[in-house]
Amino acid sequence: MTRKLQSITSSKLPAAVALAAIVLFWFVLSETGIVPGYMLPSPVDVIRALTGDFPIIITHAGVTLQEAFYGLGIGILLAFITATLMDHFLILNQAFYPIMIITQTIPTIAIAPVLVLWMGFGMAPKITLVVITTFFPITVGLLDGYKSVDRDSIDLMRAMGASRRQIFWHVKFPAALPQFFAGLKISSSYAVVGAVISEWLGGFEGLGVYMTRVKQAYAFDKMFAVIIFIVVISLVLMAVVNLIRRVSMPWMAVEEKGEENEKE
């Protein structure tokens, strides 16, 4: 128990020190007047704004998270279907993979106005943008996972008379889970950011709408407060993905523990 606690402390301590140094540097810049307060509010002012407007921020966050979860769920489903079909049919892989790469070269901020123009100011364009944003990392992760399967395992399954479906569910899909969760971790943070960006360009509720309003009122302390809130939400979502990964892949925890023991 003591050894595990020491390992956790040693791994988290550098990040905590770096974060504390950044906050301290920020505090010095704002309090000494090196950077004007209207350009960089003090951390104290930001925390005060966050606590003062917390009920309003939570209300807007509920809308943004709803858009993010809907979009992420649809993105996962589409990514699974697309990656599986591209793995089964080589011609689909050759036809659609370059198109997927091209879609990632288009800035998200450039797609959002078009979606708002086509779909209006409701949830539809926000969810669509989240789907576009989260689809690619998960699809690529699954494709790489399918390709990383040990060929000997597939040959053994075939020798035992397994069908393509059985090989997929018992060999390929489990092998692709690490890459899938790696892509999902990225996409979970992209989902919130994508929803906020789409809300900047039109909408009635959401963190992006709130940010637009406080920016127009030159309340930059509140704007920084929302940014910090979004960062916290993204970190929580990534932690949830890690938790789901550990529950879904208990063998990975055993392997990681073995690697830690070897290092010690």
Side-chain angles (χ1 to χ4, degrees), residues 72-231:
L72 182 60
I74 296 172
I76 292 172
L77 180 61
L78 289 178
F80 175 75
I81 294 172
T82 303
T84 304
L85 290 175
M86 290 173 67
D87 178 69
H88 276 69
F89 305 101
L90 180 60
I91 189 169
L92 289 180
N93 196 331
Q94 295 172 341
F96 288 109
Y97 196 82
I99 297 176
M100 289 169 51
I101 298 296
I102 292 173
T103 60
Q104 298 306 300
T105 63
I106 304 173
T108 305
I109 195 68
I111 303 174
V114 178
L115 295 176
V116 172
L117 178 65
W118 288 347
M119 301 180 182
F121 294 99
M123 276 195 178
K126 285 82 169 177
I127 294 173
T128 303
L129 188 65
V130 173
V131 172
I132 295 172
T133 306
T134 59
F135 170 79
F136 182 77
I138 300 174
T139 304
V140 172
L142 282 171
L143 282 172
D144 291 342
Y146 293 154
K147 292 177 183 177
S148 67
V149 179
D150 184 11
R151 299 303 305 180
D152 292 337
S153 299
I154 296 178
D155 292 339
L156 177 62
M157 291 288 289
R158 285 174 178 166
M160 297 173 65
S163 64
R164 292 187 65 180
R165 181 178 298 179
Q166 290 173 324
I167 292 174
F168 174 79
W169 286 113
H170 294 287
V171 179
K172 282 196 166 187
F173 185 67
L177 283 177
Q179 289 87 338
F180 165 73
F181 280 108
L184 182 59
K185 188 186 296 185
I186 297 172
S187 294
S188 62
S189 60
Y190 282 1
V192 179
V193 175
V196 171
I197 290 175
S198 63
E199 289 168 350
W200 285 349
L201 302 171
F204 307 102
E205 291 180 295
L207 293 176
V209 175
Y210 176 83
M211 290 180 71
T212 304
R213 291 173 181 171
V214 297
K215 184 186 73 172
Q216 292 172 348
Y218 298 98
F220 293 113
D221 53 343
K222 295 182 180 181
M223 192 168 180
F224 273 79
V226 178
I227 293 172
I228 292 175
F229 189 78
I230 292 171
V231 170

Side-chain angles (χ1 to χ4, degrees), residues 52-74:
D53 274 17
F54 192 72
I56 300 174
I57 292 174
I58 285 292
T59 302
H60 286 286
V63 177
T64 301
L65 286 175
Q66 191 175 359
E67 296 163 353
F69 285 141
Y70 286 160
L72 182 60
I74 296 172

